[in-house]
Amino acid sequence: MTERSERLYGLDHLRAAAILLVLMYHYRAFKHPDWIDSIGRFGWTGVDLFFVLSGFLISSQLFKEIEIKGKIHLKTFYIKRFFRIIPAYLFTLFLYFTFPFFREREALSPLWKFMSFTQNYGLDVINRGTFSHAWSLCIEEQFYLILPLFLLIVIPIKLFRYLAVLMMMVIGFSVIARLIGWNEFITGMDTASSDFWKLWYMKIYYPTHTRLDGLGIGVLIGYLMQYSSQFKKIVNNNGNRFFFLGIVLLGVSFWVCNEQASKMASIFGFTLVAVSYGIILMAAVSQSSFLYNSKSYVTAQLASLSYAVYLSHKGIIHMVQEGFDYFKLENSDNISLMICLFVCILGGLFYRFVIEKPFSVLKTKALKRIV
């Protein structure tokens, strides 16, 4: 869900895969073909892939600035993030809070939680599940806010050289936080009850401090690619091997996470998924990898639309299926699925031309004023 100045085709492929995973996962909440249940059940990991990508891309951008300029220009960084994220997000909030027919479910969290990007804490997805997928945007926004400030703190006190160790500590912290959350809130609960799922999402799945694995892995890879020539050489020389290793480990991760809310999956599964996607990301940026060297118009377009599609897809699918119901058309077959996905792409294009491009012009003007 981030932008970059140089085109890395491998990352386009991964971002396209991430949004397709999310779409298949969320489509299960609507009327759907039977095969979606099996194909889409691990689609929740698409968000973890987005986290790994964001951690890598944002940290790499900051590390390059540190290398070239010796500092981070906070105002420039935050202006870029603001114009990339906020206008489309606010427009989506406008749709949800102004037009009830856009809502895929009944009740929304309070507006202030969306506006402050704190919706992921205390989110009752059972009773207030509308636009619940904004939880991941909350984590990303908190990450965008904190990472450059964190780097500005560790650089002067000579901790920057140990950033790889710090990131591993961050990942370990999330594992421990999930273990504590499980033991304190989840142990002994009936897994078939709505209270179990309400607490599992609220205490294990949504909070920022329990979901730092993907971002930490991304930052770790970005740091090593920037500051370890040996690591970068290994990555560049073994791209396809890393891809194969990542896919195998991802398969193991899916096996561990076969029951997404099991104790093993909740405590260790998210970390395994993040590591798997991190290794696949290493393949995607490796000069010897087929991912790095293969250009695709389709994945490039999906990648560029991924943020807009992520924001709007639930509301769009809901409205399309409501339209099918109104005209008494079949809405659980493959044709209706393709129509819904096509309209989601159209929605993404609407965001691009009506919101993102005009605000990109404003961003350029704002950046020129501070140069």
Side-chain angles (χ1 to χ4, degrees), residues 56-178:
F56 174 77
L57 288 165
I58 294 300
S59 66
S60 296
Q61 173 186 327
L62 293 171
F63 295 148
K64 287 176 183 176
E65 186 175 6
I66 292 169
E67 275 294 286
I68 295 170
K69 301 179 180 178
K71 62 179 182 179
I72 297 171
H73 198 293
L74 287 179
K75 187 179 289 187
T76 299
F77 177 81
Y78 288 134
I79 286 175
K80 288 180 178 179
R81 291 294 90 210
F82 176 88
F83 282 103
R84 177 69 183 97
I85 301 297
I86 301 302
Y89 178 71
L90 291 181
F91 177 73
T92 309
L93 283 181
F94 170 76
L95 292 178
Y96 270 110
F97 279 89
T98 308
F99 302 104
F101 64 83
F102 188 75
R103 301 174 188 173
E104 69 275 6
R105 291 178 60 181
E106 299 79 19
L108 282 157
S109 296
L111 179 60
W112 70 267
K113 299 205 80 171
F114 288 104
M115 295 295 291
S116 61
F117 290 100
T118 56
Q119 178 228 16
N120 64 313
Y121 278 96
L123 173 54
D124 179 359
V125 73
I126 303 300
N127 299 303
R128 293 186 176 273
T130 303
F131 199 20
S132 60
H133 55 291
W135 72 272
S136 64
L137 303 178
C138 295
I139 292 178
E140 295 225 14
E141 281 300 295
Q142 294 161 24
F143 171 69
Y144 299 151
L145 174 66
I146 292 171
L147 180 64
L149 299 177
F150 172 74
L151 293 177
L152 286 178
I153 292 172
V154 299
I155 289 172
I157 59 176
K158 309 301 182 185
L159 281 177
F160 186 70
R161 70 183 68 178
Y162 303 110
L163 192 67
V165 176
L166 293 175
M167 286 302 103
M168 287 187 278
M169 291 173 64
V170 165
I171 295 164
F173 171 80
S174 276
V175 174
I176 293 170
R178 292 195 297 271

Side-chain angles (χ1 to χ4, degrees), residues 7-19:
R7 205 75 190 173
L8 294 174
Y9 302 130
L11 299 188
D12 282 343
H13 305 327
L14 296 191
R15 188 183 282 110
I19 192 60

Side-chain angles (χ1 to χ4, degrees), residues 173-364:
F173 171 80
S174 276
V175 174
I176 293 170
R178 292 195 297 271
L179 174 61
I180 293 171
W182 183 277
N183 290 335
E184 185 171 347
F185 300 104
I186 309 299
T187 298
M189 292 194 71
D190 178 9
T191 57
S193 69
S194 61
D195 285 341
F196 168 85
W197 286 102
K198 174 181 172 180
L199 275 176
W200 183 82
Y201 277 110
M202 193 179 293
K203 302 298 183 181
I204 302 293
Y205 193 73
Y206 288 146
T208 304
H209 63 279
T210 62
R211 299 308 311 274
L212 294 172
D213 312 69
L215 292 167
I217 290 291
V219 174
L220 175 62
I221 295 170
Y223 178 81
L224 293 174
M225 288 293 287
Q226 181 67 40
Y227 294 102
S228 173
S229 57
Q230 185 62 31
F231 180 85
K232 188 172 183 178
K233 181 179 178 181
I234 292 171
V235 168
N236 280 330
N237 290 339
N238 297 279
N240 292 329
R241 293 185 182 93
F242 277 121
F243 179 78
F244 177 76
L245 175 62
I247 291 297
V248 171
L249 187 57
L250 188 63
V252 174
S253 304
F254 285 176
W255 177 77
V256 171
C257 297
N258 187 50
E259 296 294 334
Q260 185 188 4
S262 68
K263 184 175 182 179
M264 182 64 70
S266 299
I267 297 170
F268 301 109
F270 299 156
T271 306
L272 277 174
V273 167
V275 171
S276 304
Y277 282 135
I279 294 172
I280 294 171
L281 181 143
M282 288 159 58
V285 298
S286 169
Q287 295 174 3
S288 63
S289 167
F290 76 96
L291 288 174
Y292 181 93
N293 291 294
S294 59
K295 180 179 180 181
S296 167
Y297 176 81
V298 173
T299 58
Q301 291 303 308
L302 276 176
S304 65
L305 294 174
S306 60
Y307 176 56
V309 171
Y310 187 86
L311 286 171
S312 59
H313 70 280
K314 281 187 179 179
I316 289 175
I317 293 170
H318 166 70
M319 288 193 301
V320 172
Q321 292 208 349
E322 286 291 303
F324 286 156
D325 282 338
Y326 180 80
F327 290 106
K328 297 183 172 22
L329 299 173
E330 174 62 48
N331 60 3
S332 61
D333 60 1
N334 291 322
I335 294 176
S336 60
L337 166 65
M338 297 307 296
I339 292 172
C340 284
L341 296 183
F342 177 71
V343 178
C344 285
I345 298 299
L346 291 180
L349 290 170
F350 175 85
Y351 272 71
R352 172 189 288 177
F353 291 108
V354 176
I355 302 168
E356 293 177 344
K357 282 190 175 294
F359 277 96
S360 179
V361 174
L362 292 177
K363 178 189 71 176
T364 302

